[in-house]
Amino acid sequence: MTAPADGRSPIEVLLVEDDPGDVLMTQEAFEEHKLRNRLTVVSDGAEALAYLRREGQYADAVAPDLILLDLNLPRRDGREVLEEIKQDEQLCRIPVVVLTTSQTDEDILRSYQLHANAYVTKPVDFERFISVVRQIDEFFVSVVKLPPRG
């Protein structure tokens, strides 16, 4: 991939989300605001771990630079996925942003205890949701220095 004119290199983003509406809004946020980052979507926790470990159909998957993780997922709950990511020597360096509808103190506290890099509550309003995704992108592409891909 060629670096953009502004010097920012695109990053690989893994979205772990089971709600098709939220997936669509995130994809639209990337497209609408010309976010050059590559967005890959998996729809449950077991699929996320298979992707990250490059198992089965994901043997050739590109390691993500950033993970956007919903908590309420089928098969493997997002909290379990977060815990496994942060306990894995190969995966623990990947920043994980919890992007969920839950506003409970328990979920927020547990996510940070499991070493989430950020906890963001999904806005229900489309324009606000687009703004939040754009801010996450801007922060992790322009402000933060990400570790090299493993």
Side-chain angles (χ1 to χ4, degrees):
M1 248 185 248
T2 309
D6 64 5
R8 300 183 329 173
S9 296
I11 65 170
E12 299 286 333
V13 179
L14 177 63
L15 173 63
V16 186
E17 175 61 69
D18 65 315
D19 184 307
D22 289 346
V23 169
L24 185 60
M25 283 197 297
T26 305
Q27 290 169 328
E28 286 184 19
F30 273 66
E31 292 166 12
E32 181 175 323
H33 293 284
K34 310 288 189 261
L35 305 181
R36 293 174 297 270
N37 302 324
R38 181 169 170 221
L39 182 68
T40 301
V41 180
V42 294
S43 60
D44 66 57
E47 192 178 1
L49 291 171
Y51 181 93
L52 291 166
R53 294 176 177 147
R54 299 181 179 141
E55 298 171 345
Q57 70 182 24
Y58 299 112
D60 296 323
V62 176
D65 298 300
L66 175 66
I67 300 168
L68 302 178
L69 178 67
D70 187 19
L71 290 182
N72 302 311
L73 296 167
R75 293 178 64 202
R76 296 291 296 271
D77 183 75
R79 296 156 197 82
E80 292 174 53
V81 174
L82 178 59
E83 185 170 20
E84 286 203 37
I85 289 169
K86 294 304 182 178
Q87 289 179 351
D88 186 298
E89 271 188 46
Q90 301 300 314
L91 304 176
C92 66
R93 61 158 192 80
I94 303 170
V96 178
V97 174
V98 173
L99 184 60
T100 187
T101 55
S102 174
Q103 296 182 27
T104 68
D105 289 343
E106 179 182 335
D107 281 340
I108 296 167
L109 180 60
R110 182 71 180 135
S111 294
Y112 283 117
Q113 286 173 336
L114 293 171
H115 305 288
N117 297 83
Y119 190 100
V120 179
T121 303
K122 289 180 201 170
V124 290
D125 172 74
F126 176 73
E127 290 304 319
R128 182 77 182 115
F129 186 93
I130 296 290
S131 174
V132 164
V133 171
R134 195 171 81 209
Q135 288 173 42
I136 291 169
D137 172 78
E138 185 67 25
F139 181 72
F140 279 96
V141 172
S142 299
V143 179
V144 172
K145 183 76 174 158
L146 293 171
R149 263 185 218 133

